[in-house]
Amino acid sequence: VGELQLIEAIRDVLDAPGERVVRWTGDDAAVVRARPFAVTSIDTVAEGVHFDLSTHSPADVGHKALASALSDLAAMAAEAGEAYVSLALPESLATGDALQIVSGMATLAKLTGTTIAGGDVVRAATLVVTVSVTGWADSQDQLVGRDGATAGQALGVTGELGASGAGLMLLRRAVPSVDRSVTEALTGRHRRPEPRLAAGRALAHAGATAMIDLSDGIATDGRHLARESNVRLEIDIDALPLAPGVAEVAAAADRDAAELALTAGEDYELLFTIPPERWDAAASASDVPLTRLGSTLDGEGLHFTGGDAPDLDLLRGYEHL
Ligand SMILES: [Mg+2]
């Protein structure tokens, strides 16, 4: 299949554009009705680095590429807008698989109100999918950065932690199998992470002062937030909202569950700070449960409380895996 035919076929997989999009795939460039603030992020996933076709279907790859880009918009509290996609496809990848990548992406795009408004297809040695997303906001104060936390605020996280890391271990058969429904839930969380777009906006509206999405895990992403805000994050290990089955998988792998949840990454939950008196408003506005992990203090870096002493040692010198 030639490149032009493939692009035609891709266009057939895509849903009609949202009303903001004036011109899209058939033109040289997309044209979009702008709102006052454009929020843009770009993310690349490469076979063998971010995913493996032995553990991810082509549709999973498309989902994951768009989800990780949209997660950055969620962390800024932007409303999802358009996505622009570059597919670098190896000769060995069947045309049907290439279309499955786009259709996995299109399914998530529809769920999140995103229009896939343009893109490019090239031949390459390995499969690489790059997604640039643009989100929108009407005013600057609707958006949240990493730098707004001050000492004395509550530190919270959306949803559950550790599911993606435990799911990846199960997909790689790195641990003995656990209960089938638990396996399905955890591997599903790894293959199809959900960007927390609605929660991010609800948190911002409730008064969140800083946010970051957990692509690398709290041990890494928490440090980014602490550094940008110039505060210290105190995190109670015993408060971590571990997804069901994470403790079981960690035990089977002879790893500490909290350490797995803090370092494995790709949960794409949101870590945020908020004045404590705004917590209840945030919790009732969010579409996913919030868990209070601790507080912000004067100082820098992360400080773990609770848990067992050896686990704390493990995390103390943690930088990045
Ligand atoms: Mg991010």
Side-chain angles (χ1 to χ4, degrees), residues 70-84:
L70 288 175
S71 180
D72 285 324
L73 298 187
M76 301 299 295
E79 196 174 325
E82 291 72 50
Y84 303 91

Side-chain angles (χ1 to χ4, degrees), residues 41 43 68-69 71-73 75 146 212-215 221 268:
S41 186
D43 222 75
S68 64
S71 180
D72 285 324
L73 298 187
R146 296 175 176 180
I212 189 168
D213 67 313
L214 297 173
S215 51
D221 296 317
Y268 296 107

Side-chain angles (χ1 to χ4, degrees), residues 9-79:
I10 286 173
R11 220 178 146 178
D12 291 340
V13 173
L14 298 177
D15 293 296
E19 60 180 22
R20 215 172 21 245
V21 178
V22 179
R23 295 202 158 261
W24 65 319
T25 57
D27 279 293
D28 288 299
V31 178
V32 176
R33 257 183 218 100
R35 284 165 58 183
F37 289 86
V39 183
T40 305
S41 186
I42 189 164
D43 222 75
T44 296
V45 293
E47 184 182 2
V49 181
H50 304 95
F51 66 88
D52 205 310
L53 285 175
S54 65
T55 54
H56 291 69
S57 72
D60 291 337
V61 173
H63 176 107
K64 185 182 168 118
L66 179 59
S68 64
L70 288 175
S71 180
D72 285 324
L73 298 187
M76 301 299 295
E79 196 174 325

